Amino acid sequence: MSTGSRVLDGIKVLDVGTWVASPAAPTIMSDFGAEVIKIEPPRTGDPYRQLPAVPGMPLSEHNYSWLLDSRNKKSLALDVTRPEGRDVLQALVARADVFVTNFPPALLARLGLTYEDLSPVNPRLVYASLTAYGEVGDEANKPGFDVNAWWARSGMMDLVRPAGAPPTISLPGMGDHPTSVALFASIMLGLYQRLRTGRGSKVSSSLMASGAWANSIFIQAMLCGATMVERPPREQALNALINLYQCRDDRWFVLTLLQEERDWERFARAIGRADLIADTRFATLKARHANSPALVKILDEVFARRDWAEWRAIMEAHDITFGAIARLEDLRDDRQMVATETFVPLEGAGIPGLLTVMSPIQVAGQSKVAPTRAPTLGEHTDEVLRAAGYDEAAIRRLRDLGVIG
C-alpha cells in the first residue's frame, strides 16, 4: 500500500469505548489515515483484551481479537473516573475532531462526558455515541452485547433456524462489526456537516437499530401484516433450487437460482440431468415448488456423486449462481480475499506472514494505511500527553496519583 495522502489524514479521534462495536468504528477511520487514541483504564485496560480467554473461543498464543480491532491505534492509560483524569481528557478533547464512546448515557452524565459537557470545550467536536438499545426509552441504560441487542432482539436469532430447532447463538462480533460500520457512517456525516457549517454535532447508532436494519425485510413484512412462512428442514425445502447440498467429499454449498424460470433448463443440463426438464413434476415453476422435496432428493443423489471442486468448476462454467460454504481453514488461501485486499499483511506483530481482515470500504484512488500491531496497555501514554502540552513533571505527577499508566 502506498503512503500518499489519505482522506482522513489529520483527523484526530478519541476512542473512549470498550469491546467491539464502538471501538471498531475508529479502527475503520485509522485505515483511512486518522490518528486514533485509545483511552483505557490504567490497571485493567479494555476488557476486550481478554476475549480470547472466554471459554469456547479459538485457542491461540496470540491475542487475535485485539490485533484485529486495535490495529494502528495509540493506547493512553487514563482513569476517567478521577477528576484529574477528566481534566486530561478535556485537554485532549480540545484538540480532537471526533470523540467515540459506548458508555451508557447515565454513566456519561455522572462523569461529565456527555455531548453537552464536551461541546463547549470544542464546538467543532463530532461526538459519536453507541448504545445497546438507543439513548431514550426505558432501556437507554440497559447493557447489552450484539448477541442480545442485535441478534436476539432483531428476531434473526429466532428466524435463522429450521422449524423445531433451538435458536443458535451468534458468533463473537457478528453484529458488532456491521454496527461499527453504521457508527462510522454516522461519524462521517458529522464530519461532512462540520465541513458545511463549521460546527460539530452529536451522532449516534445502536446495536438494536443495526440489528433491525439487518433484518428489515422480514420486519417490514411483519409490519405490513404479512403471514410468515415456517422454515422447514432442508430436505423439505419449499424451493429445491434455493437450498443447501452436500458433495461426495462432505463439502456443502448453497444453490441460489432466484430466477429459476430463466435458469432451470440450463441448470438441469449442467448437472447432467436434462431429463428433469420434461419431467411433469418439475416442468413448470408451480410444479417444481409443489414437488420440491422430491427434487431435493434427486439433487442430493446427483451432488453426492462428485467432489466439491468438480461441481464448482461445472457450475462456474455454466454460470450457475451458488456459494461455497467455506470452512475457516479455506479462507487462509482464499485468493479472492487477497486480490481484493480483504486480507492484508499486519506488520509489527512479531508473527511472520500474518494477515488481518481489512475494513469493508474502498475509495477509488485511496490506499489504506498498512495495518500495524495493536498497542500494549498505556504504550503511548507519555507521547500523547506530551503532544497535548504536558511536561515531564506534570506527567510524573499524574502517574504518581495513579491517574495514568
Side-chain angles (χ1 to χ4, degrees):
M1 297 181 181
S2 71
T3 56
S5 177
R6 297 181 177 87
V7 68
L8 294 181
D9 282 350
I11 295 294
K12 182 171 290 188
V13 182
L14 301 180
D15 174 2
V16 192
T18 58
W19 294 101
V20 190
S22 168
T27 303
I28 300 172
M29 298 187 74
S30 79
D31 291 337
F32 288 97
E35 178 188 4
V36 179
I37 299 171
K38 171 77 178 175
I39 297 177
E40 308 178 70
R43 285 161 291 281
T44 59
D46 185 339
Y48 187 46
R49 288 179 178 270
Q50 309 305 319
L51 180 65
V54 173
M57 291 295 292
L59 305 177
S60 174
E61 61 181 303
H62 307 295
N63 194 338
Y64 45 84
S65 51
W66 188 250
L67 288 172
L68 170 67
D69 287 308
S70 296
R71 61 170 179 252
N72 304 332
K73 298 182 182 182
K74 297 177 180 178
S75 174
L76 166 61
L78 178 68
D79 187 349
V80 298
T81 67
R82 302 270 298 275
E84 300 89 347
R86 291 195 291 278
D87 289 342
V88 172
L89 186 56
Q90 290 211 0
L92 296 174
V93 165
R95 296 166 171 81
D97 296 285
V98 180
F99 180 96
V100 185
T101 186
N102 61 351
F103 291 176
L107 177 58
L108 290 168
R110 287 199 302 272
L111 294 176
L113 297 179
T114 65
Y115 172 68
E116 291 73 21
D117 294 318
L118 298 184
S119 180
V121 177
N122 180 354
R124 287 175 53 81
L125 184 71
V126 174
Y127 183 107
S129 171
L130 192 284
T131 55
Y133 300 98
E135 296 189 329
V136 297
D138 294 341
E139 298 175 76
N141 291 292
K142 181 179 176 180
F145 293 98
D146 62 343
V147 66
N148 318 115
W150 188 88
W151 182 238
R153 187 61 169 269
S154 68
M156 287 187 286
M157 188 175 188
D158 179 59
L159 289 167
V160 185
R161 56 169 172 160
T168 302
I169 294 289
S170 59
L171 294 173
M174 199 167 87
D176 288 319
H177 286 108
T179 301
S180 75
V181 176
L183 188 62
F184 167 78
S186 301
I187 293 168
M188 297 309 295
L189 281 173
L191 288 172
Y192 180 67
Q193 179 175 273
R194 188 180 76 172
L195 184 66
R196 300 181 67 181
T197 66
R199 292 192 58 82
S201 61
K202 180 180 178 181
V203 300
S204 63
S205 189
S206 72
L207 287 164
M208 183 179 70
S210 176
W213 185 242
N215 194 29
S216 55
I217 293 176
F218 268 51
I219 292 175
Q220 188 65 63
M222 175 274 298
L223 294 173
C224 289
T227 300
M228 295 300 157
V229 179
E230 193 173 61
R231 176 174 294 195
R234 62 163 295 279
E235 294 80 6
Q236 300 295 318
L238 302 175
N239 186 345
L241 302 182
I242 304 176
N243 201 16
L244 313 178
Y245 293 99
Q246 189 175 26
C247 303
R248 183 173 60 188
D249 56 356
D250 295 330
R251 298 306 303 264
W252 289 83
F253 71 96
V254 56
L255 184 66
T256 319
L257 299 191
L258 287 175
Q259 300 182 73
E260 62 177 282
E261 289 278 49
R262 182 196 69 181
D263 297 335
W264 162 242
E265 291 188 13
R266 176 161 43 84
F267 168 72
R269 291 189 178 95
I271 64 173
R273 289 301 305 268
D275 60 297
L276 296 176
I277 297 171
D279 190 317
T280 56
R281 295 175 298 170
F282 315 124
T284 67
L285 183 144
K286 184 176 181 180
R288 283 193 297 277
H289 292 181
N291 295 287
S292 181
L295 185 53
V296 169
K297 185 175 180 180
I298 291 171
L299 295 181
D300 277 342
E301 294 169 354
V302 169
F303 290 122
R305 293 172 188 157
R306 297 175 186 259
D307 290 345
W308 163 238
E310 295 178 73
W311 282 122
R312 179 171 185 167
I314 289 169
M315 287 187 285
E316 286 178 344
H318 290 83
D319 197 26
I320 303 300
T321 306
F322 69 97
I325 299 179
R327 297 170 178 170
L328 276 177
E329 56 268 23
D330 298 336
L331 303 182
R332 184 181 291 108
D333 300 313
D334 191 316
R335 289 179 295 179
Q336 188 66 12
M337 293 278 193
V338 174
T340 57
E341 295 191 335
T342 301
F343 292 169
V344 295
L346 176 64
E347 303 297 336
I351 311 171
L354 179 66
L355 298 177
T356 191
V357 183
M358 182 49 77
S359 53
I361 298 168
Q362 301 288 345
V363 178
Q366 287 277 318
S367 61
K368 296 182 183 178
V369 172
T372 56
R373 69 170 178 84
T376 57
L377 178 58
E379 180 177 349
H380 303 93
T381 295
D382 290 16
E383 173 190 334
V384 170
L385 293 182
R386 289 191 198 102
Y390 287 81
D391 60 23
E392 297 303 320
I395 293 173
R396 187 164 51 251
R397 176 178 172 274
L398 289 170
R399 186 161 278 119
D400 289 343
L401 289 172
V403 174
I404 62 173

